[in-house]
Amino acid sequence: MWFQHDGASAHFSANVRSALDTAYPGRWIGRGGKVNWPASSPDLSFLDFVWDHMKSIVYTSPVDSDEALVARIAVVAGDIREMPGVFANVR
């Protein structure tokens, strides 16, 4: 799991970054982390675009249950992960 935060002043203190490093070592997106928040878009990140794409696939037909929804999300996430070069330019 990854954690994404906006890097606002209140969220950029050393104790917040230390807590994120402890809870999500190397897996948090934000100012001061190993994965920087995209400078070109403070409100949107690559994950926003991935989720929009996933939703368009997951909801192509009605979902009958919570279990079916979780299964569809897992399948689509796996398909996206296996796409050649899909994460090549992600920093």
Side-chain angles (χ1 to χ4, degrees):
M1 179 188 332
W2 283 73
F3 181 83
Q4 177 180 347
H5 79 95
D6 60 4
S9 297
H11 307 147
F12 188 63
S13 65
N15 60 344
V16 170
R17 288 180 284 140
S18 177
L20 289 172
D21 285 335
T22 300
Y24 303 95
R27 299 183 330 253
W28 61 274
I29 300 168
R31 189 166 57 116
K34 291 195 182 271
V35 180
N36 284 322
W37 187 274
S40 61
S41 179
D43 297 317
L44 296 174
S45 75
F46 176 75
L47 298 175
D48 293 306
F49 297 102
V50 170
W51 180 237
D52 283 343
H53 180 65
M54 285 180 69
K55 287 191 300 186
S56 71
I57 298 170
V58 168
Y59 292 112
T60 55
S61 62
V63 181
D64 298 332
S65 67
D66 292 345
E67 293 82 13
L69 177 61
V70 171
R72 281 192 200 178
I73 291 171
V75 168
V76 172
D79 291 346
I80 290 172
R81 181 183 303 171
E82 298 302 320
M83 288 179 176
V86 71
F87 296 112
N89 295 322
V90 177
R91 292 181 237 152

